[in-house]
Amino acid sequence: MPVIAVINRKGGSGKSTLATHLSAWLARQGKAVMLGDVDRQQCARAWLKRRDANLPAIAAWAIDQRNILKVPAGVTHVVLDTPGGMQGFELAKVVMSTDAIIMPVCSSLFDRESASACLAELLALPRIASGRCRLGVVGMRIDARTHAAQVLRDWAHEQHVPFLGVLRETQTYVRSLENGQTVFDLRATSSAADLLQWEPILEWLFPVANATPAPTATMAPAKPIPANSPPLQQDSTAERLNTPRAVSLMPAQESMVHGNRLSVFATSNPVSSQQGAELPAMPRNASRERTGVPQFLLRH
């Protein structure tokens, strides 16, 4: 089960925007995606409550250290929206069960300095150093034609981390998120420029998410990678997908959006041979392991 985390210890870097869009993209791929809101502000869950029931379903998931349960049957992908200031053991626990990390970074000196320290800590973790977890940078609220975009690209190259592209600052994101939507939920005519910027980011995630490229009718062909771009991290898709993973995840504290905990996937992702069969209820108040570390963040 692929886990994609959006990480940057600096607040206001655009983590929730990236996480909600990635979960919506996976949902439109037909994946049974669960959006994990590790951030104490719970921005991602607030967005889910605004999401229309007619849009592709995304399951809500609030991290709770007191309640450790197995991942619900039918869930195939997890996107984590992490809090600012995460470091040390807390950061290492998240990375232990993550297959890809995207770090949103704004263009200011303060943002780059903060991100540099976070990247240094991430790159020292065994799972990332061994290539089992991919790590990439996305420039947030940046015009690709400006000097700021090139500065951020050069900075990523100095950090030896792939620069996946930039997302511009536009009211399209503001209005869509306000309505529980993303640019992937809008008409192609009104979000074509933004979808084009997402292409290199999604292409980088295809091997991890086991996804397919979007139809050419809605997204233009990807631009060739510039010769001076840093090389992408090389890893084996088969090795990554077959990496042992703990069988437990921490569930939401409240019901899934638009239904009970598991009915959100009942129609599109049945888990039994009988069509429409009700999924089993999730147990509550499972005990914590002796180590005090959530099972979700332990590997065998």
Side-chain angles (χ1 to χ4, degrees):
M1 179 185 60
V3 176
I4 301 170
V6 181
I7 295 177
N8 188 332
R9 65 178 51 155
K10 191 175 188 306
S13 58
K15 293 186 293 292
S16 294
T17 297
L18 270 181
T20 51
H21 275 73
L22 290 174
S23 61
W25 168 65
L26 287 168
R28 288 202 166 271
Q29 290 279 323
K31 311 298 183 182
V33 58
M34 185 176 273
L35 178 57
D37 198 342
V38 193
D39 194 339
R40 296 176 182 86
Q41 298 181 33
Q42 299 290 287
C43 296
R45 283 215 294 168
W47 170 77
L48 276 175
K49 292 178 181 179
R50 296 173 177 265
R51 191 165 175 81
D52 193 285
N54 295 321
L55 294 173
I58 301 172
W61 186 45
I63 302 301
D64 179 10
Q65 298 289 343
R66 298 168 301 176
N67 206 7
I68 305 172
L69 299 176
K70 294 181 180 180
V71 60
V75 173
T76 62
H77 293 67
V78 173
V79 177
L80 294 179
D81 180 17
T82 64
M86 192 168 60
Q87 57 185 327
F89 185 56
E90 184 181 16
L91 178 64
K93 286 193 299 182
V94 171
V95 175
M96 271 192 262
S97 287
T98 301
D99 297 289
I101 294 173
I102 294 183
M103 178 179 289
V105 182
C106 296
S107 62
S108 76
L109 173 64
F110 303 122
D111 287 271
R112 296 197 306 273
E113 288 297 316
S114 175
S116 294
C118 187
L119 283 173
E121 187 172 356
L122 285 170
L123 291 170
L125 296 175
R127 185 160 174 80
I128 296 177
S130 65
R132 289 175 292 165
C133 177
R134 308 188 87 189
L135 174 61
V137 169
V138 173
M140 299 296 290
R141 309 184 189 100
I142 297 175
D143 189 332
R145 302 166 296 180
T146 63
H147 177 65
Q150 187 59 46
V151 168
L152 201 56
R153 180 182 294 277
D154 294 341
W155 168 83
H157 183 73
E158 293 173 359
Q159 305 297 318
H160 306 289
V161 177
F163 185 71
L164 309 182
V166 301
L167 298 179
R168 63 176 184 160
E169 185 171 16
T170 172
Q171 286 297 306
T172 303
Y173 286 104
V174 177
R175 289 193 297 266
S176 61
L177 291 172
E178 186 73 23
N179 297 322
Q181 297 176 313
T182 66
V183 296
F184 301 111
D185 301 311
L186 304 177
R187 291 178 299 179
T189 54
S190 60
S191 60
D194 299 298
L195 291 176
L196 187 63
Q197 289 191 321
W198 274 94
E199 278 192 359
I201 303 171
L202 302 181
E203 183 178 0
W204 183 80
L205 283 172
F206 287 157
V208 177
N210 193 24
T212 56
T216 55
T218 58
M219 296 179 69
K223 295 181 178 180
I225 301 176
N228 60 347
S229 297
L232 296 181
Q233 293 175 341
Q234 300 296 322
D235 55 2
S236 168
T237 301
E239 177 184 354
R240 180 173 55 255
L241 296 180
N242 292 327
T243 301
R245 181 180 302 284
V247 296
S248 300
L249 292 175
M250 292 169 288
Q253 282 294 299
E254 62 183 38
S255 299
M256 297 297 184
V257 178
H258 315 312
N260 61 32
R261 289 181 181 273
L262 300 178
S263 63
V264 68
F265 300 128
T267 56
S268 59
N269 294 279
V271 294
S272 67
S273 57
Q274 181 180 359
Q275 183 66 26
E278 183 178 358
L279 295 170
M282 296 170 57
R284 290 179 176 272
N285 300 323
S287 61
R288 181 184 296 214
E289 290 190 356
R290 293 180 182 274
T291 60
V293 180
Q295 296 180 29
F296 159 56
L297 298 171
L298 289 176
R299 286 182 173 271
H300 302 298

